[in-house]
Amino acid sequence: MTSVTNILAAEGVQLNGQTITPASFNNWLKSNNGFASGNLLMWGAAASLGLRFDGFVNGGSAAASALNSGKLVVLNVRNGGHWVLAVSSNGSTFTVRDPGYQTTTYSYSDVGRAGTFTWTGGNNLEFDWIDFEGGEISFEGGEITFEGGEITVEGGELVFEGGEDFHFDYEGGEF
């Protein structure tokens, strides 16, 4: 969970107006069904914060390939008992952020599997102005759905009028 928090903090995610921390993310996960069986992280739980879980890969070489292709990677090390954030890879070694040990590197052979993620832009969506009558706006994991009414964004060119559903994708500040 701490390694996922490190990714979110590096991307500027805030909870309740504050930079996300392991404690605030833990509380958020508890309130948003982010744990299974008490304390097992639901890997896709942070999607609504902008971090999409892409799946697992097995072994250090596959983890390095994912990292080198631009994925965000959390490594399972120490015989499956510990997770760390991969920062970079070089040859046969990962540089990591390890929240539990004072270790800055792990070899590819130390990695059992790895969770891979993609940053999708998160919930840091800002509009200059929105006006709508009735209906509902919902934002989830880089996707916005608007139902009913009228939507206008000043300073941009997004205008929607009418009562039918309107949908668009938001990625990294662009529509």
Side-chain angles (χ1 to χ4, degrees), residues 126-132 150-155 158:
E126 292 184 26
F127 287 108
D128 293 324
W129 182 73
I130 296 177
D131 179 48
F132 71 100
E150 169 184 311
I151 184 169
T152 302
V153 178
E154 289 184 0
L158 178 63

Side-chain angles (χ1 to χ4, degrees), residues 14 37 42 56 58-59 64 66 101 114 131 133 158 161 164 166:
Q14 294 189 347
S37 300
M42 299 291 293
F56 291 106
N58 292 314
Y101 298 89
D131 179 48
E133 296 176 14
L158 178 63
E161 296 178 16
E164 295 187 25
F166 173 72

